Amino acid sequence: AAMRHLPYFCRGEVVKGFGRGSKELGIPTANFSDQVVESFPSDISTGVYYGWACVGNGDVHKMVLSVGWNPFYKNIKKSVETHIIHTFKEDFYGEILSVVIIGYIRSEKNFSSLEALISAIQEDIEEAKRQLDLPEHLKLKEDNFFHLPEGKPVNH
Ligand code: ADP
Ligand code: MG
């Protein structure tokens, strides 16, 4: 069920998240708006995915993306958050984030400590980097999707 919709192309505005302190952990996650999340296939599995991302018409970078349960809505709605594997000089709230979600890494888990959570995410990032260097995944980095005018959000 996780793979059925992949690769999945999605574009939308970056909004304020839940302030869970991802940035303080060194792993900021750019959150999509509810509207974008609602446009996702309703049966997409929660968990961690890898793919490509770009902000506005900037460069395309590797990313890890999590689909999780949204605490704002008592965990009955999903949230979609992207950690771009790149160091940005500034925040980019309000900008348009384009992503292509390519593969599934793992399901959502509960961690016994913050250290365990951080090291799991670091492993996810390493796995994403390795996967995305494969020729079949590298070619999606060059996809026309990333060169389209950013005016209209598209989901398909
Ligand atoms: P929030 O709870 O508002 O989502 P985070 O701590 O998750 O706060 O930080 C996310 C914000 O950090 C993004 O919306 C973006 O503006 C900024 N940011 C800076 N660098 C990155 C990055 N490499 N990946 C994702 N977001 C980043
Ligand atoms: Mg976030």
Side-chain angles (χ1 to χ4, degrees), residues 4 9 13 32 37 44 56 62 69 73-74 96 115 137:
R4 188 149 53 91
F9 294 81
E13 193 184 338
F32 276 129
V37 176
I44 196 160
K62 293 174 176 178
W69 293 108
Y73 296 100
K74 305 199 163 126
I96 300 296
E115 290 71 29
H137 296 150

Side-chain angles (χ1 to χ4, degrees), residues 25-40:
L25 305 182
I27 35 175
T29 60
N31 293 50
F32 276 129
S33 67
D34 295 344
Q35 195 197 342
V36 171
V37 176
E38 277 161 21
S39 71
F40 268 60

Side-chain angles (χ1 to χ4, degrees), residues 14-26:
V14 175
V15 301
K16 267 270 170 208
F18 324 110
R20 286 190 291 211
S22 318
K23 205 177 286 168
E24 286 70 27
L25 305 182

Side-chain angles (χ1 to χ4, degrees), residues 14-24 27-31 81-88 90-93:
V14 175
V15 301
K16 267 270 170 208
F18 324 110
R20 286 190 291 211
S22 318
K23 205 177 286 168
E24 286 70 27
I27 35 175
T29 60
N31 293 50
E81 307 183 21
T82 305
H83 172 67
I84 303 173
I85 306 173
H86 177 75
T87 304
F88 289 87
E90 286 172 359
D91 285 351
F92 45 84
Y93 290 110

